[in-house]
Amino acid sequence: MIATAPQAPATTPTATTAGNAWHAICALDDIWPDTGVCALVGRRQVAVFRLADGSLYAIDNHDPNSGANVLSRGIVGDLGGEPVVASPIYKHHYQLRTGTCLENPDTPLRTYPVELRDGTLWVQA
């Protein structure tokens, strides 16, 4: 399966909640289960993932171990019951819930709250 990102970067509607803006990313159906897409949220690239069980996650798209913005194209899976994405460069595993790199815990990623509203994914950043 190949997921395709929306044509335009997701810099469209925002709503502010408690000092943090919520950004509309794309329709849920734009992300195939067990894949991710990259969205431009402000000036930051965010990797948004949809798992087959319906759970949604958002982490930084930047892989600090390779220096590349590639995590949205990583392989989604689970290690010991924990949902992870494997970087397509060096295959480091990042926990989707916490952003922790299993092979190098000193390089955690930022995670973002994700909500589904009327079929649209929103990320708070």
Side-chain angles (χ1 to χ4, degrees):
M1 285 186 224
I2 298 174
T4 58
Q7 293 297 324
T11 57
T12 49
T14 61
T16 303
T17 305
N20 293 313
W22 283 91
H23 303 266
I25 302 303
C26 63
L28 177 65
D29 292 340
D30 289 341
I31 307 176
W32 292 10
D34 289 330
T35 65
V37 296
C38 179
L40 186 61
V41 178
R43 301 183 81 169
R44 182 177 286 272
Q45 288 189 28
V46 175
V48 182
F49 298 92
R50 174 186 178 191
L51 276 54
D53 68 3
S55 56
L56 303 168
Y57 297 96
I59 60 174
D60 281 330
N61 192 45
H62 184 80
D63 176 359
N65 291 294
S66 69
N69 292 311
V70 296
L71 292 177
S72 64
R73 298 295 178 205
I75 298 171
V76 177
D78 104 23
L79 291 175
E82 184 67 31
V84 297
V85 62
S87 171
I89 305 294
Y90 294 128
K91 310 303 185 239
H92 287 90
H93 296 90
Y94 294 91
Q95 293 179 333
L96 294 176
R97 294 181 212 272
T98 66
T100 301
C101 177
L102 298 179
E103 291 79 12
N104 187 0
D106 294 335
T107 58
L109 301 175
R110 183 174 172 190
T111 61
Y112 303 87
V114 182
E115 288 185 4
L116 180 62
R117 302 179 193 167
D118 297 322
T120 299
L121 293 176
W122 289 75
V123 170
Q124 186 181 29

